[in-house]
């Protein structure tokens, strides 16, 4: 996980998109390669609101290198998007469990990371 405290400029290219089956129009997770409704494999992209609720999360501690003993906590979560699909996401900060459900919104993709960064609303 790269250090996400240094916010990069978000551009139109950084719009959050999810999958959409070309055969049945089912909305799918961003990394889906097969439609869960019709089993189609022609998956296009469509813009998402990027807003949802955390379903589950865990805090992991990562080190910048194998030789470094300085660990930084990061939160990885499953987010149920208001658009329907679920996605894995990095969450900036620890989830605020005093407010349930925990609402989050897409912030940006972090270069070199597989999952998007979401922030609490």
């Amino acid at each position: 996980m790269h250090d996400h405290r240094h916010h990069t400029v978000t551009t139109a290219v950084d719009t959050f998109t999810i999958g959409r089956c070309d055969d049945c129009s089912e909305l799918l997770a961003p990394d889906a390669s097969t439609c869960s409704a019709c089993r189609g494999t022609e998956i296009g992209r469509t813009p998402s609101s990027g807003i949802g609720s955390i379903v589950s999360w865990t805090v992991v501690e990562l080190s910048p290198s194998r030789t470094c003993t300085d660990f930084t906590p990061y939160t990885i979560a499953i987010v149920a998007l208001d658009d329907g699909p679920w996605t894995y996401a990095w969450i900036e900060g620890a989830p605020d469990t005093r407010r349930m459900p925990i609402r989050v919104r897409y912030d940006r993709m972090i270069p070199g990371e597989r999952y998007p960064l979401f922030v609490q609303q």
Side-chain angles (χ1 to χ4, degrees):
M1 174 74 185
H2 296 280
D3 186 352
H4 61 270
R5 290 173 282 185
H6 301 290
H7 187 70
T8 57
V9 176
T10 302
T11 64
V13 176
D14 203 21
T15 301
F16 186 62
T17 61
I18 56 177
R20 178 187 293 268
C21 178
D22 291 344
D23 295 327
C24 73
S25 298
E26 180 78 12
L27 296 177
L28 305 165
D31 57 353
S33 59
T34 303
C35 178
S36 56
C38 74
R39 309 308 292 163
T41 57
E42 297 297 320
I43 308 298
R45 309 297 303 164
T46 190
S48 167
S49 69
I51 297 173
S53 298
I54 294 178
V55 174
S56 182
W57 77 91
T58 190
V59 176
V60 294
E61 291 189 345
L62 301 175
S63 174
S65 72
R66 289 179 183 241
T67 59
C68 183
T69 58
D70 194 21
F71 291 90
T72 303
Y74 291 97
T75 302
I76 185 81
I78 298 172
V79 174
L81 297 167
D82 290 353
D83 301 316
W86 290 13
T87 186
Y88 285 102
W90 290 107
I91 306 297
E92 189 169 71
D96 183 358
T97 58
R98 296 172 295 170
R99 294 184 352 211
M100 299 298 271
I102 303 167
R103 299 290 291 164
V104 293
R105 68 174 169 76
Y106 171 74
D107 186 65
R108 67 187 183 280
M109 288 301 297
I110 301 167
E113 287 297 328
R114 180 176 177 183
Y115 303 122
L117 176 67
F118 278 64
V119 294
Q120 295 177 70
Q121 288 190 306

